[in-house]
Amino acid sequence: MKRVHAFGDDCLGELDGVGVAQAIAAGQFSASDAVEAALERIDAVNPTLGAVAHDDRERARKRAVDNDFPSGSFVGVPSIIKNNTAFAGLPTQHGSAAVPATPAAANEAFTDQLLATGINIVGASTLPAFGLTATTEFVDRDPTRNPWDTDYSCGASSGGSAALVAAGALPIAHANDGGGSIRIPAAACGLVGLKPSRDRVAPPKEGEAAPIDIISNGIVSRTVRDTAHFIADAERFRAAPGMPAVGLVEGPGQRRLRIALVTEPLTGQLLDPDTQRAVTAIADLLENLGHRTEMVPLPVDRSYATQFTDYWALMAYSLDHFGKRIIDKGFDRSQLDPFTRGLSRMALRRFWRIPGAIRGLKRSTAAFRGMFDRFELVLSPTLAHITPEIGYLDPAGDFDEIFERLTRYVAFTPANNTAGMPGISLPLAQDNRGLPIGIHFSADVGHERTLLEIGFELEAAQPFARIQDAVG
């Protein structure tokens, strides 16, 4: 295996984000020390991983010297922002050559919420073109690689963020999720990835005019603690309208939960043996911890998968035809990658179905949320099969073949996006190659606390595998 990581004996050591912030606050080292260590780590692994879209180290160094941070859980902690979210002074290129490298004039709303945690942004991380696929691969540059084995996909769309955190270059990183794009790379790279409820955090500008806002921002982390602190900080900055407060979750809950077990993807195929074994083992662990699990089918039929892919294609069509208005006035559609073009053409062929797809997705929300009349959580794999090699989802490959592979791979996560439910991927298993397998939990809208509590409990019962301990 070709494993790459940057863990060492510098000041960051093996600390998570909260640990780094606490050490800075205690005077054990400075924010400048932390950012220099992070930059050295990035420089050590990024030539192999290809996870940085834009470097912004000089401004990060200045912020550290000036101690120019809001008060939050991560004061002075080096981090990175995904390159589809506006951060003043950095270009927001969405992983595509179609978008000019024009520095953003201002932060978008979520960026200010992210910065309120106290992080120090050192740059922007890679994503595939417009986050439309589940691997961080490109047609015009090298892919972003999985640090657990560089021959394999790191997932997507928040692939660069996940690769850097998994490799130990950064403690936490920004991610966002429109169909699994926090949870998929978290699963592939052995991280914690929580997609919050719709409107738990400030909505992205892309969702403002969308018929269904499916995108939610968050982070990827190596510990449940970091994700819990991010949610608490985000909530202090902006209370979520119409939702119960989460507060700071600091450990397992006391309630024993009723948990639905879903193992059949909407696409109908069987899970591969490693994934099936992993999710069954976690169901058994939950039973041993006193929770009750019950296998159930998903509450919607396979038409949901078609409706979601129709909506997904509509997003590509909108970019293709209205990119100058949606993204940037300098948008050059002639530079779109083949996969985005293929999705756009598919939307055009299916255009007559789009209104029905939107209505169907909205109706499915009641069916998905209805599961929580009987259960507190839904357990499933994060992905329908183990992490593929780079090239399996090549955006320059035959569109029909790549599209079919994607829909089979990403069969569990989209329901949370269309229904607005929170979901978390936890790194609780590995396949026979030693690569991470993500285990997924869903909760009803507003119930992130339950997800974090089960995350703390399982992290203690079955500690997450560490890349620095693995052989390879």
Side-chain angles (χ1 to χ4, degrees), residues 271-306:
L271 300 179
D272 66 274
D274 284 356
T275 303
Q276 180 67 62
R277 183 168 55 250
V279 74
T280 301
I282 296 306
D284 291 343
L285 175 58
L286 289 163
E287 290 278 352
N288 291 336
L289 292 169
H291 303 285
R292 290 190 307 154
T293 63
E294 179 184 336
M295 186 171 288
V296 300
L298 278 170
V300 294
D301 60 29
R302 293 185 190 177
S303 65
Y304 172 84
T306 302

Side-chain angles (χ1 to χ4, degrees), residues 16 35 40 235 252:
D16 66 356
V35 78
E40 287 184 15
E235 188 173 69

Side-chain angles (χ1 to χ4, degrees), residues 348-368:
L348 189 60
R349 294 194 304 270
R350 298 180 173 185
F351 222 77
W352 61 276
R353 296 189 343 198
I354 298 294
I358 292 170
R359 288 194 299 272
L361 292 175
K362 289 181 176 179
R363 284 194 302 268
S364 72
T365 295
F368 285 123

Side-chain angles (χ1 to χ4, degrees), residues 318-338:
S318 299
L319 290 163
D320 187 8
H321 293 273
F322 306 107
K324 286 183 181 292
R325 187 185 313 166
I326 297 170
I327 301 293
D328 188 283
K329 63 184 179 181
F331 188 92
D332 182 0
R333 66 181 298 223
S334 70
Q335 297 298 308
L336 287 173
D337 63 291

Side-chain angles (χ1 to χ4, degrees), residues 50 54 58 82 94 118 131 136 139 141 145 148 158-159 202 222 231 243 269 320 332 338 348 356 387 468-469:
H54 292 286
E58 294 311 320
K82 185 176 173 181
H94 297 269
T136 310
V139 297
R141 68 201 90 164
R145 298 179 178 274
W148 286 83
S158 308
R222 295 193 296 269
I231 290 292
M243 263 183 271
Q269 81 268 26
D320 187 8
D332 182 0
L348 189 60
T387 304
Q468 62 269 43
D469 294 337

Side-chain angles (χ1 to χ4, degrees), residues 232-261:
D233 279 13
E235 188 173 69
R236 280 193 293 270
F237 181 82
R238 171 193 176 271
M243 263 183 271
V246 178
L248 177 59
V249 182
E250 298 185 272
Q254 297 304 308
R255 280 188 309 157
R256 298 300 85 186
L257 305 175
R258 299 164 299 169
I259 302 173
L261 172 60

